[in-house]
Amino acid sequence: MPDLRTTALADRHAALGASFTDFGGWDMPVRYTSDLAEHHAVRTAAGLFDISHMAEFLVTGSGAAAFLDYALAGRISTMKVGKAKYSLLLDDQGGVIDDVIVYRTGDEYFLVISNAGNRALVADAFSARVDRAAEIMRSGREVPADGAVGFVVGTERARIEDISDQTSLIAVQGPRAREIVEATAGVTDVQPALADLGYYAWSAGRFQDENLFIARTGYTGEDGFELMVPNALAPALWDALLEAGEPLGLVPAGLAARDTLRLEAGMPLHGHELSTAILPAQAGLGRVVAGDKDEFVGKDALAAASDDLPVLVGLVAEGRRAGRAGYAVVDAAGTPVGEITSGALSPTLGHPVAMAFVPPALAEAGTSLFIDVRGTLIPATVTALPFYRRTA
């Protein structure tokens, strides 16, 4: 078994007493003190997360926007500089290779952040799609000046650079996140100011006289920011954020809290709610797909897909016993009708919640079902996602 990779913050986590787990081939902090304490801190104040295991790709060149229109399910070419967009990387059958966030950093510059465990798959898919676009160009296929074909403009290929090994990502999530980042020593020259920055947008700044990328994005259902710096600066930025945030209730938080936070917020996790066996519409992500684009990978398969495939729903259960991934969902007759993909006793709501795939006929809110929790049938009710939504 290969050694697990570590982030530039591994020593900081160890010094804070973190427990570690294998996540996507990385040795990552799962908790520092208590899952519940870390979860509640994010909901009431703020949590500090090391997310440096995520993968980052630069996509540049005059063909970059059109290439991403072809490579991803969303329409990327219409993004404004300074904005971000959630999108999906699909295979030819319409299944989800990975979900990504795309940031437009210039007219011909994009940053794509993908999941750690799918880094090689994303890199391979991007490489193959660049090559395929080049082959089509060599075949003499006409490309309209506006790039409508969707993968190349003129004769310029998009250039893909994997910068994952050079960069660290640190997330500050929670209602006091902005105060904390603004108060962090060494963070300067932030434009636009964080107070003026909308959700799914980014600012450029400096930290200790080096470039700092600050995105107003996150994976917790709370307001928050994700900060990207070179690896060498990550420990100093982590320390500065902790120092600024401690008076405001900031605590370091691990993957366990991150998972319950994203579950409450109804956010999918690849390998659970997303996979190559699941189409976007099944996971409630049909809105992410720009089906009117001339061409993108997976388009034909999505157009031909059945409307009767299982769909993702939320389930709220009675009692305190939570359904976990892989547990069966059954109807009143005890017949299996679906399967839990993620589940937990919600720290915020105080009752069990889960996401599951069930037939469309059973997906209406209010439908009564049962979760088979180790042989005991627990009553559960279908509910709209998300389970939790912040009020401000």
Side-chain angles (χ1 to χ4, degrees), residues 128-146:
R129 292 167 198 200
V130 167
D131 291 343
R132 181 175 174 187
E135 289 173 5
I136 293 173
M137 282 300 297
R138 285 195 296 270
S139 74
R141 180 171 176 175
E142 181 180 354
V143 179
D146 63 1

Side-chain angles (χ1 to χ4, degrees), residues 87-108:
S87 195
L88 301 171
L89 180 72
L90 307 180
D91 63 17
D92 287 332
Q93 291 73 46
V96 180
I97 296 172
D98 202 11
D99 57 339
V100 302
I101 297 181
V102 182
Y103 302 86
R104 190 163 200 167
T105 58
D107 288 340
E108 299 178 0

Side-chain angles (χ1 to χ4, degrees), residues 13 16 31-33 38 46-49 238 242 246 250-254:
H13 304 319
L16 289 166
R31 69 181 58 82
Y32 298 85
T33 55
E38 293 166 21
L48 186 65
F49 298 87
W238 177 272
L242 271 182
E246 278 185 334
L250 175 73
V251 304

Side-chain angles (χ1 to χ4, degrees), residues 241-331:
L241 289 164
L242 271 182
E243 183 177 356
E246 278 185 334
L248 301 176
L250 175 73
V251 304
L255 292 178
R258 188 169 160 86
D259 191 51
T260 52
L261 290 159
R262 70 92 192 167
L263 172 58
E264 289 181 346
M267 295 178 168
L269 175 63
H270 197 277
H272 291 251
E273 290 75 38
L274 300 174
S275 75
T276 53
I278 297 169
L279 304 182
Q282 292 182 258
L285 296 174
R287 68 188 184 282
V288 175
V289 179
D292 59 340
K293 289 192 299 183
D294 285 350
E295 190 170 352
F296 63 91
V297 177
K299 178 177 180 176
D300 292 344
L302 296 184
S306 168
D307 293 331
D308 200 37
L309 296 172
V311 294
L312 189 68
V313 299
L315 292 173
V316 172
E318 298 179 6
R320 306 285 292 179
R321 299 181 66 186
R324 305 292 181 179
Y327 287 13
V329 178
V330 303
D331 62 17

Side-chain angles (χ1 to χ4, degrees), residues 51-349:
I51 55 172
S52 303
H53 59 304
M54 304 291 281
E56 298 88 30
F57 300 88
L58 295 180
V59 182
T60 62
S62 63
F67 162 73
L68 288 171
D69 272 353
Y70 171 70
L72 301 177
R75 189 179 296 280
I76 308 302
S77 58
T78 57
M79 290 177 62
K80 294 182 179 179
V81 174
K83 298 299 184 181
K85 177 175 282 191
Y86 178 82
S87 195
L88 301 171
L89 180 72
L90 307 180
D91 63 17
D92 287 332
Q93 291 73 46
V96 180
I97 296 172
D98 202 11
D99 57 339
V100 302
I101 297 181
V102 182
Y103 302 86
R104 190 163 200 167
T105 58
D107 288 340
E108 299 178 0
Y109 296 85
F110 297 83
L111 169 68
V112 181
I113 297 184
S114 73
N115 289 294
N118 292 330
R119 175 182 173 183
L121 294 173
V122 173
D124 288 348
F126 277 176
S127 177
R129 292 167 198 200
V130 167
D131 291 343
R132 181 175 174 187
E135 289 173 5
I136 293 173
M137 282 300 297
R138 285 195 296 270
S139 74
R141 180 171 176 175
E142 181 180 354
V143 179
D146 63 1
V149 168
F151 37 81
V152 68
V153 175
T155 59
E156 181 66 35
R157 288 175 49 165
R159 294 180 292 275
I160 316 298
E161 181 182 1
D162 185 343
I163 60 168
S164 308
D165 292 337
Q166 292 85 52
T167 56
S168 293
L169 277 172
I170 299 173
V172 185
Q173 298 285 299
R176 308 201 74 172
R178 180 166 67 86
E179 295 175 72
I180 292 165
V181 177
E182 289 175 336
T184 299
V187 174
T188 61
D189 302 326
V190 177
Q191 294 294 329
L194 299 188
D196 301 325
L197 188 67
Y199 192 48
Y200 264 64
W202 63 271
S203 290
R206 305 284 286 177
F207 178 70
Q208 296 187 352
D209 294 325
E210 296 287 344
N211 290 334
L212 171 66
F213 180 88
I214 308 175
R216 199 163 201 165
T217 47
Y219 193 52
T220 63
E222 296 295 339
D223 190 15
F225 301 87
E226 297 176 327
L227 296 83
M228 185 171 72
V229 292
N231 286 335
L233 287 180
L237 179 58
W238 177 272
D239 293 345
L241 289 164
L242 271 182
E243 183 177 356
E246 278 185 334
L248 301 176
L250 175 73
V251 304
L255 292 178
R258 188 169 160 86
D259 191 51
T260 52
L261 290 159
R262 70 92 192 167
L263 172 58
E264 289 181 346
M267 295 178 168
L269 175 63
H270 197 277
H272 291 251
E273 290 75 38
L274 300 174
S275 75
T276 53
I278 297 169
L279 304 182
Q282 292 182 258
L285 296 174
R287 68 188 184 282
V288 175
V289 179
D292 59 340
K293 289 192 299 183
D294 285 350
E295 190 170 352
F296 63 91
V297 177
K299 178 177 180 176
D300 292 344
L302 296 184
S306 168
D307 293 331
D308 200 37
L309 296 172
V311 294
L312 189 68
V313 299
L315 292 173
V316 172
E318 298 179 6
R320 306 285 292 179
R321 299 181 66 186
R324 305 292 181 179
Y327 287 13
V329 178
V330 303
D331 62 17
T335 303
V337 295
E339 185 175 285
I340 300 292
T341 55
S342 298
L345 178 62
S346 166
T348 303
L349 304 175

